[in-house]
Amino acid sequence: MNPKSKNTLNHLAIIMDGNGRWAKERKMKRTEGHKEGVKVVREITKWCATNGIKFLSLYAFSTENWTRPKIEVDFLMKLLEQHLKNESKTYDEYDIRFKVIGDTMGFSKKLRNLITSLENSSAKNSTLTQILALNYGSRDEIARAILKMNKNGIPNGISKNDMINLLENSLDTKEIPDVDLLIRTGGEMRLSNFLLYQCAYAELSFSKTLFPDFNIEELKKIIENFKQRNRRFGAI
Ligand code: FPP
């Protein structure tokens, strides 16, 4: 691998944090912060589709987010529903494939149908894959993968490398390459159970900007910095 290709940004992942604080600072309801967040999601997605990024993963709803007040959870579900209903044309216009990771069985039938419908209608789009993490947590994903492997049967005496391949093919991110760069907005410096396996060699970037204020200018600066980094993947 030449040094240049090591720094190719193929897969960008974002933990979109700070919506609630953004709203609180403005004496608005937390839900208003999520509404603004969706606008930023749209901008970033379009920018990625037009700037050579192949995979964009967004942490939209974690397995732990169900513990939030019902009114906030319901609002997030409504936002998602509206997005899936109204934005399908954007996916075709920008040649974006839509994919969900996470345990969608936790959602209503209506939402599951909308998810499947957009995944199917955009399946042939290939400029960018937008991966929305919904009812997602890495531990949950890995546990589901092991259950799947167990159900399908693990060959006796399987080698360690074949086991790694089997596990990777059983994860929600099957056929999606590892994360190259993970950005978390909102000032916290943790991974919060997001793509833990897939971030094994990801470069990390933590921004103090609250997600609704995050913009393309800042994204470009972070990517510039990523390109200067010396990714060694365990070698010297
Ligand atoms: C974290 O901010 C944000 C979330 C838990 C939800 C993120 C969801 C969106 C941006 C909307 C995505 C929807 C679509 C349709 C793409 P927080 O609420 O934890 O903020 P805080 O840390 O300031 O409280």
Side-chain angles (χ1 to χ4, degrees):
M1 202 188 287
N2 69 44
K4 194 161 174 269
S5 68
K6 279 190 200 173
N7 282 24
T8 301
L9 181 49
N10 203 30
H11 187 170
L12 170 67
I14 307 182
I15 301 178
M16 310 180 287
D17 196 17
N19 294 347
R21 278 166 286 158
W22 181 92
K24 198 172 167 207
E25 277 177 4
R26 288 161 181 76
K27 308 215 178 325
M28 294 157 102
K29 289 189 223 149
R30 291 177 53 81
T31 48
E32 290 303 308
H34 296 314
K35 221 155 103 179
E36 282 301 307
V38 178
K39 293 184 193 164
V40 179
V41 165
R42 291 195 189 123
E43 287 309 303
I44 292 175
T45 304
K46 288 178 190 171
W47 188 85
C48 287
T50 45
N51 285 275
I53 290 163
K54 300 304 292 177
F55 298 88
L56 170 66
S57 292
L58 301 164
Y59 206 5
F61 195 86
S62 76
T63 43
E64 289 72 34
N65 285 154
W66 295 108
T67 58
R68 294 187 174 211
K70 186 175 182 305
I71 191 156
E72 185 170 338
V73 171
D74 288 349
F75 189 89
L76 282 167
M77 295 301 136
K78 204 82 212 154
L79 268 187
L80 184 60
E81 190 182 312
Q82 278 167 5
H83 176 81
L84 296 168
K85 272 187 189 158
N86 303 334
E87 288 298 313
S88 64
K89 55 190 178 309
T90 310
Y91 286 82
D92 287 337
E93 189 185 337
Y94 286 82
D95 197 34
I96 301 166
R97 177 167 74 112
F98 174 72
K99 179 173 170 58
V100 165
I101 56 170
D103 189 357
T104 52
M105 288 316 282
F107 294 117
S108 68
K109 182 109 182 57
K110 187 177 175 191
L111 207 49
R112 289 206 307 273
N113 286 342
L114 284 167
I115 290 169
T116 311
S117 165
L118 187 54
E119 281 183 332
N120 291 342
S121 73
S122 68
K124 289 207 167 62
N125 297 344
S126 62
T127 297
L128 171 75
T129 299
Q130 184 206 51
I131 300 146
L132 217 52
L134 295 172
N135 194 23
Y136 177 88
S138 279
R139 289 180 176 180
D140 184 88
E141 178 193 27
I142 292 167
R144 283 186 288 104
I146 294 169
L147 287 170
K148 203 187 290 174
M149 287 157 61
N150 201 29
K151 195 170 159 206
N152 296 338
I154 300 170
N156 262 340
I158 186 171
S159 72
K160 207 155 59 173
N161 279 343
D162 285 347
M163 188 60 165
I164 288 175
N165 285 335
L166 185 61
L167 174 62
E168 290 181 354
N169 282 323
S170 307
L171 291 170
D172 296 348
T173 51
K174 176 178 186 256
E175 288 165 7
I176 294 170
D178 280 355
V179 175
D180 296 300
L181 170 64
L182 175 115
I183 300 172
R184 180 178 185 135
T185 65
E188 309 286 355
M189 289 199 267
R190 52 177 171 257
L191 297 180
S192 298
N193 206 12
F194 187 46
L195 296 174
L196 299 184
Y197 184 94
Q198 299 82 348
C199 279
Y201 285 100
E203 296 294 321
L204 308 179
S205 178
F206 298 99
S207 161
K208 287 198 169 73
T209 307
L210 303 175
F211 187 68
D213 285 332
F214 192 71
N215 59 31
I216 303 301
E217 285 318 303
E218 185 170 358
L219 175 61
K220 283 198 228 170
K221 281 189 193 142
I222 293 172
I223 294 174
E224 273 315 303
N225 173 281
F226 162 82
K227 295 205 162 149
Q228 305 305 318
R229 293 192 194 184
N230 180 14
R231 299 186 80 193
R232 290 199 297 272
F233 296 92
I236 51 170

